[in-house]
Amino acid sequence: MLLGLFFLMHTDVQAQRGDYGKRYSNEKQFRLGFTLSPLGSFFKAQEPGVERNAGRFGVNFGVMFDYFLDADNHYAISSGLSAVSAGSTLKYDAGKGLKDFSTFPAEYDIRMQYLEIPVSLKLKTDLENDFSLYGQFGTFFQAPIRARTDIITNGLKTEKVNIMGDVNPLNMGLLVGAGVEYPISESLTLTAGLSYQNGFIDVTRNSKWHDGRINNNSFALRLGLFF
């Protein structure tokens, strides 16, 4: 459906070129940039027996790119590659959670890091004073590269438990966002916006945790610089 939409938009906008009088011309078909985005992530349990006590602040950093579908740079396929922090503090009832810690209720302070590839359709319009406003809608794919947790149960704390083998090797979900762009030179454009990601896939392997489905969601302040 997205590919069909890209094709229709690309075909339709060829006759929509206009002169917006911008101080700098950014009419390039492809642009590359860097992003450094603070975020807040939180795991959401879908079944009883697991309760979230806290989320976790982290950062998303890496490269991003836009491939424009029209001559006026109003429609683009946006993607990239970045490292993303995630995690939450979850409280498990007895009988749930990892086998070695399930005899008593336990609290897990989970810290994870993913490699992420977002894929979205970006729609952009020009405003006054050289600003541009954009919105984007799409999906993302994540693969964990690090997973640790501290566990408190029966008054004892076990730190830095490696749980890489107990989490799912893939996460994906919905990505929506909006923001502004501002050109500061002929080759540099600042961008800032907000985004929300809603994970669809269980973070923890249910056969290991017996906790139903745990979704990874996040809000991010998207900051970046395009070249």
Side-chain angles (χ1 to χ4, degrees), residues 11-222:
T11 303
D12 181 63
V13 300
Q14 297 307 309
Q16 298 182 9
R17 298 197 62 178
D19 181 9
Y20 293 89
K22 295 180 73 65
R23 181 175 48 167
Y24 299 114
S25 174
N26 288 316
E27 295 184 357
K28 300 182 292 185
Q29 188 175 21
F30 178 86
R31 63 178 181 174
L32 184 68
F34 293 97
T35 180
L36 180 63
S37 305
L39 61 87
S41 68
F42 55 97
F43 291 171
K44 184 177 180 180
Q46 304 295 325
E47 296 184 7
V50 185
E51 179 181 351
R52 183 180 69 246
N53 285 354
R56 176 169 292 276
F57 289 103
V59 66
N60 176 329
F61 63 94
V63 296
M64 56 184 178
F65 72 82
D66 286 343
Y67 180 82
F68 290 100
L69 304 175
D70 69 314
D72 292 322
N73 294 9
H74 289 165
Y75 310 96
I77 299 174
S78 182
S79 187
L81 177 65
S82 58
V84 182
S85 301
S88 272
T89 300
L90 302 177
K91 184 178 180 180
Y92 281 75
D93 289 349
K96 293 184 177 291
L98 295 175
K99 181 179 179 181
D100 292 343
F101 304 94
S102 62
T103 303
F104 303 96
E107 183 177 85
Y108 293 72
D109 182 8
I110 302 173
R111 304 177 299 278
M112 300 183 64
Q113 190 171 44
Y114 289 92
L115 281 181
E116 177 181 282
I117 299 177
V119 181
S120 66
L121 175 64
K122 179 182 285 186
L123 310 178
K124 191 173 69 165
T125 184
D126 296 314
L127 304 175
E128 296 181 356
N129 301 321
D130 297 321
F131 280 94
S132 296
L133 178 68
Y134 74 85
Q136 61 185 137
F137 177 85
T139 187
F140 64 91
F141 303 91
Q142 295 178 334
I145 57 175
R146 187 174 185 272
R148 298 286 189 275
T149 185
D150 295 341
I151 305 172
I152 300 176
T153 182
N154 196 30
L156 299 176
K157 182 176 182 180
T158 305
E159 297 184 334
K160 298 180 180 180
V161 178
N162 186 348
I163 55 172
M164 272 294 292
D166 304 314
V167 299
N168 277 317
L170 174 68
N171 186 33
M172 63 176 295
L174 172 69
L175 165 64
V176 294
V180 295
E181 296 182 0
Y182 183 77
I184 57 176
S185 74
E186 293 184 1
S187 60
L188 297 178
T189 299
L190 290 173
T191 179
L194 296 174
S195 69
Y196 170 69
Q197 294 184 187
N198 179 19
F200 293 159
I201 296 178
D202 188 8
V203 174
T204 59
R205 294 186 177 184
N206 195 44
S207 60
K208 298 288 188 70
W209 296 72
H210 307 288
D211 57 358
R213 190 173 63 171
I214 306 292
N215 297 118
N216 177 19
N217 304 326
S218 67
F219 290 94
L221 174 61
R222 298 283 185 180

